[in-house]
Amino acid sequence: MAEKVAPPSPREITTKPRVSDRVFRGTVTGVGMLSLLILTLIGLFLALRGFQTFKSEGFHFLTGYKWESVTSDSGQVTNTFGVGAMLIGTILIASVALVVGVPLSVLCALFLSFYVPDRLKKLLVSVVDLMAAFPSILYGLWGYFVLMPMAEYWAKLLYKYLRWIPIFDAPQPFFERSPFIAGLVLAIMIIPIVTSVSREIFAQTPLDRVQAAYALGATRWAMIKTVVLPFGSSGVVGGAMLGLGRAFGETVAVFTVLNVVFKANFHILYGAGGNVASMIILKWGEAVGDETKALLAAGFVLFVLTLLINLAANSIVKRTLKSGK
Amino acid sequence: MTTTATPVVPQKPWQATPKEIAPTILLLIVSLLASVVIVAMTPMKGKLAYAFLFFVIGTTSLSIRKWRIRGRAAAADAIVSSIALTGAALVFTPVISILATTISHGVKGLHWSLFTQSMFSASYQDPISAGGLLHALVGTLYLILISIILSVPMGILTALYLTEIKGPGANFIQFIVQAMSGVPSVVAGLFIFASIIVTTPIKASGIAGAFALSILMIPTVTRTAQEVLLLVPNDLREAGQALGATQWKTVATIVVPAARNGLITATILGVARIAGETAPLLFTIGGSDKLNWNPFKDYQGALPFYVWKGLMMGTPESVQRAWTGILILLILVLVLFVAARTLGGRRMKSK
């Protein structure tokens, strides 16, 4: 007699995740949040260490032009710390970099997107990516030994013919290691970022509009002017801002090329100046006690500045990329 | 009736014939000659003058020709084409110059004892045949290894959070990762100094440097890994789920293996990002000239630091050291870059 086999009891159907899934999701979510933690910690630690400086200097820390720690005969230490001069330098150098770098990058991106045959394009895009991977000290070395002699000559030309414009004037005809040359090196360093962001955005241009322009008999330039640029211009602005963020934070290349002097210098051709990042390196070696704290406070200023620029830039780029889909 | 099949040869009627290209080339040669003549006759001089005049004369003559053949719009098009070409040429010239000068300056200092000796018993001002950069190579390898251990798991897991779980915070975390990739390298160094070197028993050493480099590497790895994971077809995930696999099983046995090459590419790109970083190391590793096999204790050297020291000394011998050091660093970066490209290319093809 056959034994009666009990049918398997029906499985319970549930949407509750298994333990393994819960562990997995928990771990991954936890790790995902870590980057937020790191970013917060960076801001927190730098602000905390720099707090004393912020408290004693107040708003003057951002606007002051003096950075000195004087010990009097009686051992009394008087500190005056202000990064104002270096903030001016940062903005000046980054402006040179943007004025030179952004038009070149946009031209290069247009060239790569609409003019080059496909096979060459792949190679050239790799070269642009490689440019982004070059160490910044390599740019510094090259800028100092190769670009500087040439750029000094260009600076002399600018000084000779354009010195009636205030920023091209100089107190003395000393053009080596000037913010202008540092700006040129930075321009080369931001080109890969701005180029690849612009190229990505140009590639998102709606194809039907491109083809419609051609079908109406537009030349390549007419097509770019009426379709690509109106579509991509805000994205290019975002790319330029990403470049600006990089230019603000660049340290080693600027320090190598520029004659870093703690002084407010509005003359871009004159060989003195600095930016916040290079100033930190300059003062770090001899800094003790309060000055170290002040340098960390300067680091905090730099951190907040680049963070704000980057967040704005990223949201602009993202919005443009989305509008193409 | 028999028909012989005539082979169809595809033609490209829009392509320029040699006869159409010839006047263009002729005009370019003429404008080159004209610029030489003008430079010779006027007080203008130098390479800058040649380039500028050639550009102006070439562009105008080409656009005038287009105007006569096809009208104003074509002339504007010709002008913009040559401006775009010039812009691209200006972008690529520095790359060629950088590669050429680095190689030509760097090879002068190459010799075998570079890889067998440290700078412990030599000074940077000595001729380059004394001492070597073994200590820096060891230091850089340690830094890279520890940074990989610290940041690759975190980068990939964060990417998994953004692509697989897509939790409520995904958009926000994406935002944070992007913000993190903009942190200046000098700030990363300062942060590790302010947080770890000042407050914990870990002093300036290889591990502190690796912490700083990881801050820069994590966003790179995350963003590349995310792009790769997004390329894995959704069908594969759905197939896994349909077979009754849990999400964990699907990710571990299907998604990640499918994206393996791309994840390796992400790692390599992350390493290429940090291999040449100098600024964070200035605050964190101490920059020793002695060979140090222990990354957890005592000062460590690194290739970028070696270059930095040579450059800062400023004597001809020390600058020669800097060039040789940067050449080796550049070779390292190039190898990593080509490796990432080949792996990435293979992934694209298999798709």
Side-chain angles (χ1 to χ4, degrees), chain A residues 63-94:
Chain A
T63 53
Y65 280 10
K66 263 194 184 151
W67 188 282
E68 41 187 34
S69 179
V70 183
T71 314
S72 66
D73 298 335
S74 56
Q76 185 82 24
V77 183
T78 337
N79 291 321
T80 329
F81 299 125
V83 290
M86 292 293 106
L87 278 178
I88 291 170
T90 308
I91 293 168
L92 211 61
I93 295 170

Side-chain angles (χ1 to χ4, degrees), chain B residues 16 18-19 22 37 40 45 48 57 75 83 88 105 124-125 134 150 179 192 198 200 202 212 232 239 297 344:
Chain B
K19 211 171 150 192
V37 171
K45 60 182 193 307
L48 199 60
I57 300 173
I83 292 177
H105 283 85
Y124 280 75
Q125 275 101 331
L134 180 65
L150 289 174
I192 294 302
V198 172
T200 67
I202 301 173
V232 176
K297 222 183 121 210

